[in-house]
Amino acid sequence: MKNHFDVVVVGAGFSGVYAAHRLRDLGLSFVVIEAGDGIGGTWHWNRYPGARCDIPSIEYSFQFSSALEQEWNWSERYATQAEILKYLEFVADKFDLRKDILLSTRIESAKFDASKNRWSIQTNVGRSFESSYLILGTGPLSSPKNVDISGIGSFAGRVLRTSSWPREEIDFTNRRVGIIGTGSSGLQAIPIVAKKAKSLHVFQRTPTYSVPANNYPLDSQMREKIKSEYAAIRERSRQNYFGVDLPAPTKSALEVSPEERRATYEACWKAGGFAFMFAFYDLVLNKEANDTAAEFVRSKIREIVKDPRVAEALSPSQPIACKRMCVDMGYYETFNRSNVTLVDLRSTPIAEITQQGVRTVSENIEIDDLILATGFDAMTGSIVKMDIQGRNGIELKQKWAHEPSTYLGLASNGFPNLFMVNGPGSPSVLSNMVPSIENHIDWISDCILHARSLGSGIIEATSEAERAWTQHSAAVAAGTLFNSCNSWYLGANVPGKTRAFMPYVGGYPAYLQKCSDVAKNGYEGFSFSAS
Ligand code: N01
């Protein structure tokens, strides 16, 4: 295999797979380099029981090929991890992409060599590469957070991480299981593990708001209907604030009667999924409006969970959606099972992990298996983990130590010809990730073609454009409730990480428009220099 390319793409998840297709179409030479031993990114690593998407599969899928849309059959409203992985493998095979994907190879460093105007890339297997362009399709939620609980290394039983679940089936029959973490991963795993385990202790630090998925199988009639409406579904999603196919709410939660409000929440709860956050337009803008939605969910928890003390402990108090809302399949109901115990770490923190289990300040809980669903160093973790050095040896990690500043979440000043997919400063995790990925890859490819057409081939975000975008992005976030609690959106889940709101929340349509305008205006905010 050769080592010199026009483009090196990091990561073979949705981003890398689509990049391979697009770059090949454009006639550029490239390689996609992936650390895992299979393609799929998030869907390769997160194989834990219950893992599935919480955006309907028909939307959480590629739209670049209508033949693909027509050929592939989703079996459920929300596809399982296994089905999403199968889909990505199907795409890779259909478009013959595997031959340009190098697996089991982790990029350790990428340095911009100004003498050649090329990226020099080193891997963990001793191979090195050179490319004109570097595209980081590393995923915003792919670098697991370090778990800093005392004694974690001394546990004698099985330790399983949701973020790197083993390929082989894990049988929990007759096992005493403990799980730390009640975000989306924990919430999906808990009901499934509880059905098999002898006992399950759920160690909860911060209670989570979750709404039912209302998942259902898709029969052939439903699929045919969807297939005939794909174009319209995609278009409606492009117009939606979060890039999903849900109607924009027109009313404030505060302008309707309590009866109408409750009926609206009930209808959204029944519809399932993120429809709940589209009940009223001001739920993430106005604390009073947000309180009504939060109280509705708390009332549902009290309704579902039979033990009032457990219901109380499961009830969150932070604004709803300021931590990423969860979508579940029987999460709260699981706490009615006799083999499930909630351990509220706010009143009884973990003192240490011992050889036999978990010792809280009030009891010793013996377990056989410990599941860690403790989250990620989100948005920036997988990028700064690599030693990325731009012009004059400037390190990206160093540059971002105070703030992960980017222009449009696509590029960063000082790092010519480096592009990010769903980087900080783009809607990314607050949008439907797959269309966002396609949009970014299309934009980046067009930008590369433009740079090459000018003869220079070198493109770099200007510091002025980057500063203005970062300020705009922070100002938009400040006008919402998204940054009002300690979430991973802010980096607050990682000790020592700079607190800065990372996704762009100015709305998906506005963001698409901005990207399009920048391109139309000759890539305004970027500078081109001679090669
Ligand atoms: O991680 P999280 P996740 N001691 O950070 C707790 C996407 N996703 O993997 O909140 C005790 O949300 C932590 O507690 P606290 C989705 O975007 C999507 O679940 O920090 N507890 C929290 O409860 C999601 O938001 C799907 O107090 C500790 C949990 O661990 C994102 O990935 C499925 C702890 C971490 O929750 C991340 O979700 C799965 C400690 N030392 C994930 N450290 C879909 O459905 C952490 N916690 C598509």
Side-chain angles (χ1 to χ4, degrees), residues 164-207:
S164 50
W165 200 263
R167 270 178 197 265
E168 68 270 15
E169 178 105 11
I170 302 290
D171 188 6
F172 290 108
T173 311
N174 280 327
R175 307 282 292 184
R176 298 166 304 168
V177 184
I179 181 165
I180 301 178
T182 53
S184 299
S185 306
L187 254 79
Q188 288 184 330
I190 285 164
I192 312 280
V193 175
K195 281 185 194 146
K196 282 279 177 76
K198 182 173 173 190
S199 64
L200 176 64
H201 281 83
V202 176
F203 297 92
Q204 170 198 263
R205 191 162 64 183
T206 309

Side-chain angles (χ1 to χ4, degrees), residues 204-226:
Q204 170 198 263
R205 191 162 64 183
T206 309
T208 311
Y209 291 99
S210 186
V211 295
N214 184 19
N215 188 35
Y216 45 76
L218 297 174
D219 61 26
S220 55
Q221 232 179 335
M222 285 160 145
R223 278 200 292 263
E224 285 320 303
K225 186 167 176 336
I226 289 162

Side-chain angles (χ1 to χ4, degrees), residues 385-422:
K385 200 154 77 176
M386 294 176 281
D387 176 15
I388 298 180
Q389 296 183 21
R391 284 193 195 283
N392 308 318
I394 174 178
E395 293 175 23
L396 190 55
K397 185 177 181 171
Q398 204 54 42
K399 179 180 173 186
W400 282 0
H402 301 296
E403 183 177 46
S405 58
T406 68
Y407 182 36
L408 302 170
L410 278 162
S412 199
N413 176 254
F415 297 83
N417 290 6
L418 179 148
F419 296 98
M420 293 159 235
V421 182
N422 276 331

Side-chain angles (χ1 to χ4, degrees), residues 27 30 34 48 104 126 154 157 193 206 217 223 255 257 294 301 333 338 353 359 362 377 379 381 385 410 450 493:
F30 68 93
E34 165 60 52
Y48 60 86
S104 304
S154 60
V193 175
T206 309
R223 278 200 292 263
E255 74 178 72
S257 67
I301 298 172
E333 288 84 348
S338 58
I353 308 285
R359 185 169 70 78
S362 64
D377 181 354
M379 308 289 293
K385 200 154 77 176
L410 278 162
H450 180 77
N493 64 329

Side-chain angles (χ1 to χ4, degrees), residues 43 48 52-54 141 145 147-149 162 180-186 188 203 205-206 208 323-324 345 350 373-376 486 488 493:
W43 302 104
Y48 60 86
R52 59 174 76 230
C53 60
D54 57 9
L141 292 157
K145 184 179 95 115
V147 184
D148 46 356
I149 304 174
T162 50
I180 301 178
T182 53
S184 299
S185 306
Q188 288 184 330
F203 297 92
R205 191 162 64 183
T206 309
T208 311
K323 273 177 183 263
R324 210 283 201 158
L345 300 181
I350 295 174
T374 40
F376 299 88
N486 290 329
W488 58 255
N493 64 329

